Structures are given as C-alpha cells and as structure tokens.
Amino acid sequence: MALEWVVLGYTAGAEAIMLLLLTVPGLDGLRKGLIAVIRNLLKPFMSVVPFCLFLLMDIYWKYETRPTCDDESCTPSEYLRHQKSIMKSQRNALLIAAALILYWLLYSVTSLVVKIEQLNQRLERLKNSD
C-alpha cells in the first residue's frame, strides 16, 4: 500500500510546484505557456479526488478493524506498534487533505488567471478600437 501514498505525495508536490509557478510574480513571459500546460493537466489531475476518497476509506477501514490496545492488555512493543499505526493514519489523512486542497487551489487560481488574461485582451481590444 505504500505505492499509493508515494503517487499521492508526488501528485501533491506537482500541484504545489505548478501553483507556485503560476502565482510567482515576474514570470509573465512563461505564464501563457504555463497556463496552457496546467489547463491540460487539470483533467487528468481530477483523478486525484476519487483516489483520495478511496484512500480515505482505506484509512477508515483500518481504523475500524484495528485491534484496541489498552494499557494493561498489551505489551510495550504492541502499544508502540499501535501508536505508530495511529501516527501513520494521521499523516496519510493530512496528505489526502493537502492533495485535495492543492487541487482545488490550482483549479481556482488557474481559472482566475485565465479570466484576468481574457479581461486584459478585451481591454486591449477596446483601447485599440478607440
């Protein structure tokens, strides 16, 4: 199951890099090509949403079927393993949340930048017609 988390981590990293490149000021010459690339990648990156929901259900299933470990009923090594499992689940839930939020931000910022570009082009056409 570690491969899914690696894929999700790389996807979240790619989303963060694209979002950073899109919002950094001073990259106006690169921005048009970057917008085209990001708009083409938004549809394939949409698969992140059902993938995250699947992984979230996996975390929930593991949480529900996890044996409980009370202080008196388990050895220190079992207790440590139980705590590590809880920490991994929390880390993975944070990764899921980050991937979903970054996708939503990337989608929103890209649509806003496209609207700004369209408004700038419209403004230029109006200036040229006067």
Side-chain angles (χ1 to χ4, degrees):
M1 291 293 281
L3 184 60
E4 290 103 6
W5 301 109
V6 170
V7 168
L8 188 62
Y10 283 146
T11 304
E15 289 171 348
I17 290 170
M18 286 188 289
L19 188 61
L20 184 67
L21 288 174
L22 193 61
T23 57
V24 168
L27 296 177
D28 295 329
L30 184 65
R31 187 156 294 147
K32 287 185 181 181
L34 192 61
I35 290 171
V37 169
I38 291 174
R39 286 183 73 187
N40 288 333
L41 286 177
L42 280 176
K43 286 183 183 174
F45 274 5
M46 182 63 182
S47 63
V48 166
V49 175
F51 189 63
C52 285
L53 291 175
F54 167 74
L55 291 175
L56 199 59
M57 289 188 318
D58 182 52
I59 289 173
Y60 178 74
W61 178 78
K62 285 180 182 176
Y63 177 77
E64 286 295 321
T65 60
R66 180 181 303 138
T68 58
C69 187
D70 297 330
D71 290 333
E72 300 93 21
S73 67
C74 58
T75 65
S77 63
E78 289 174 342
Y79 183 73
L80 183 63
R81 196 171 90 208
H82 182 262
Q83 291 299 320
K84 281 184 181 180
S85 175
I86 290 172
M87 294 286 282
K88 282 183 182 180
S89 295
Q90 291 171 347
R91 179 199 62 200
N92 292 340
L94 284 174
L95 182 60
I96 289 170
L100 290 174
I101 289 171
L102 284 170
Y103 178 80
W104 176 73
L105 283 172
L106 186 64
Y107 178 79
S108 299
V109 168
T110 303
S111 66
L112 287 174
V113 168
V114 167
K115 285 180 186 177
I116 289 171
E117 289 292 325
Q118 289 173 349
L119 289 174
N120 285 339
Q121 289 174 357
R122 191 180 205 186
L123 185 63
E124 288 296 322
R125 276 188 266 137
L126 286 174
K127 283 182 181 178
N128 290 339
S129 67
D130 288 340

